[in-house]
């Protein structure tokens, strides 16, 4: 029998609420608790991994793939990226250029699927997949069709793309931070500016990952972590033991994650019916 967790968010071994103990990490990751950054700090400090491939916001909403090898470099990558960063195509080069042998990849669910398949079922003669130690996927409801969203912001609200400092979701409101303040937009209004592919994407949490991480409305300031296998579970537990994160049982919050997953699946089904 498939249980409700498996059918909506994939296989999950343990569910935690976690947050960083490091004040600097907490201050830069106020909304999410910074648990992913703290766990990766621990893995770098202990030599469990030699680099983290992740996305860094560069200009407004734009981002690029970067390698972080230290706490300082990791902290420089925090913040939401709302345009998809095409790093699946660049990761092999990044890993080789930086001579990395054990990397953690922080990515979106669609990218987690690519990396998971490369690692577990390599199709090419390459050692690229073998070098991926951990895949950490962030919950995702979609990324913007960049140019279109930027045009919308400028034409309707006079905000230039390069001036966008951050974007975050609070309930059904998207907040766009810019030099003049915070623009609050109902989520329904900006759905039309998401990538078309996102509108038919069914994976909210990244079921191909080792750890899925995200935020839930009822626990701001905490990261909810889904450990999908024993190795991932041990990483979280050891980061706690070494004092990098504080952890609570998160199983009673899985309903909120399933709601997000169900909503995304229903959206995809509705959109697929319209498209085909
Ligand atoms: S909604 Fe799906 S396709 Fe779009 S960025 Fe997120 S995971 Fe990728």
């Amino acid at each position: 029998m498939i249980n409700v967790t498996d059918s909506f968010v994939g296989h999950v071994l343990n569910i935690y609420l976690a947050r960083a103990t490091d004040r600097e990490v907490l201050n830069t990751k106020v909304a999410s608790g910074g648990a992913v950054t703290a766990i990766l700090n621990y893995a770098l400090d202990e030599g469990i991994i030699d680099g983290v491939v992740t996305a860094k916001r560069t200009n407004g909403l734009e981002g690029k793939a970067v390698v972080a090898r230290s706490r300082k470099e990791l902290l420089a990558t925090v913040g939401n990226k709302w345009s998809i960063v095409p790093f699946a195509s660049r990761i092999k080069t990044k890993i080789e250029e930086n001579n990395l042998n054990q990397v953690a990849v922080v990515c979106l669910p669609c990218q987690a699927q690519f990396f998971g398949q490369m690692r577990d079922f390599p199709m090419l003669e390459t050692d690229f997949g073998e070098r991926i130690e951990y895949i950490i996927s962030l919950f995702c409801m979609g990324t913007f069709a960049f140019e279109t969203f930027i045009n919308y912001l400028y034409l309707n609200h006079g905000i230039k793309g390069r001036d966008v400092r951050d974007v975050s979701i609070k309930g059904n409101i998207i907040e766009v931070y810019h030099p003049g303040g915070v623009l609050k937009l109902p989520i329904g209004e900006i759905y039309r500016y998401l990538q078309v592919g996102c509108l038919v994407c069914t994976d909210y949490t990244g079921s191909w990952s080792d750890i899925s991480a995200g935020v839930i409305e009822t626990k701001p300031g905490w990261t909810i972590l889904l450990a999908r296998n024993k190795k991932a579970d041990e990483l979280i537990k050891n980061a706690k033991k070494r004092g990098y994160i504080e952890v609570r049982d998160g199983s009673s919050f899985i309903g909120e994650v399933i709601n997000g997953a169900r909503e995304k699946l229903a959206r995809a089904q509705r959109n697929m019916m319209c498209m085909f």
Side-chain angles (χ1 to χ4, degrees):
M1 190 173 82
I2 299 175
N3 72 38
V4 72
T5 311
D6 281 2
S7 57
F8 284 105
V9 299
H11 178 70
V12 175
L13 191 64
N14 272 318
I15 304 155
Y16 301 103
L17 278 180
R19 73 178 169 197
T21 52
D22 180 330
R23 280 277 133 212
E24 198 181 353
V25 175
L26 269 182
N27 289 341
T28 44
K29 304 273 290 183
V30 180
S32 75
V36 170
T37 307
I39 290 168
L40 292 171
N41 266 338
Y42 157 73
L44 282 171
D45 287 351
E46 293 290 313
I48 298 166
I49 53 171
D50 52 12
V52 178
V53 183
T54 184
K56 179 179 182 178
R57 197 166 48 222
T58 50
N59 178 25
L61 290 171
E62 288 178 72
K64 67 172 184 181
V66 294
V67 172
R69 289 166 176 266
S70 65
R71 176 181 175 281
K72 192 173 164 217
E73 288 175 353
L74 209 48
L75 277 173
T77 68
V78 301
N80 299 321
K81 292 87 192 173
W82 287 82
S83 59
I84 194 157
V85 176
F87 73 21
S89 59
R90 296 192 195 144
I91 187 172
K92 186 170 186 292
T93 321
K94 284 271 166 209
I95 288 173
E96 284 170 357
E97 271 174 7
N98 289 275
N99 199 23
L100 301 172
N101 292 308
Q102 292 160 298
V103 301
V105 182
V106 183
C107 56
L108 299 172
C110 53
Q111 296 164 331
Q113 179 172 357
F114 169 78
F115 294 126
Q117 287 183 342
M118 287 297 289
R119 181 177 65 178
D120 299 342
F121 307 106
M123 289 184 287
L124 304 170
E125 283 187 32
T126 167
D127 59 353
F128 154 53
E130 288 170 11
R131 300 196 199 188
I132 300 174
E133 202 64 23
Y134 294 100
I135 300 169
I136 301 182
S137 173
L138 308 174
F139 296 178
C140 179
M141 279 306 261
T143 51
F144 294 120
F146 186 69
E147 295 296 340
T148 321
F149 184 61
I150 291 299
N151 280 345
Y152 158 82
L153 282 181
Y154 187 60
L155 292 176
N156 292 279
H157 302 284
I159 300 168
K160 292 184 182 152
R162 64 170 180 268
D163 291 335
V164 176
R165 290 183 178 152
D166 200 1
V167 179
S168 69
I169 295 188
K170 297 251 170 69
N172 283 326
I173 300 292
I174 295 265
E175 295 183 339
V176 180
Y177 293 80
H178 59 98
V182 185
L183 171 68
K184 299 189 179 193
L185 300 165
I187 238 169
E189 187 176 332
I190 60 107
Y191 261 168
R192 73 191 85 161
Y193 303 106
L194 292 181
Q195 307 265 4
V196 176
C198 297
L199 297 175
V200 292
C201 173
T202 56
D203 190 356
Y204 176 56
T205 57
S207 48
W208 276 85
S209 63
D210 300 303
I211 299 174
S212 294
V215 285
I216 47 171
E217 248 180 75
T218 54
K219 275 285 172 192
W222 289 81
T223 314
I224 188 158
L225 299 172
L226 314 183
R228 298 185 181 278
N229 52 48
K230 206 160 170 273
K231 187 173 145 182
D233 202 47
E234 274 167 12
L235 183 73
I236 295 168
K237 284 179 175 156
N238 289 335
K240 175 186 177 261
K241 256 188 229 156
R242 297 299 299 268
Y244 285 75
I245 49 174
E246 56 175 307
V247 170
R248 294 180 186 172
D249 177 13
S251 51
S252 58
F253 295 92
I254 191 63
E256 284 184 60
V257 183
I258 290 174
N259 281 348
R262 191 186 279 128
E263 200 181 303
K264 189 172 181 187
L265 183 61
R267 182 182 80 184
Q269 286 170 336
R270 278 195 309 273
N271 288 324
M272 275 190 256
M273 279 195 288
C274 299
M275 282 177 191
F276 304 109

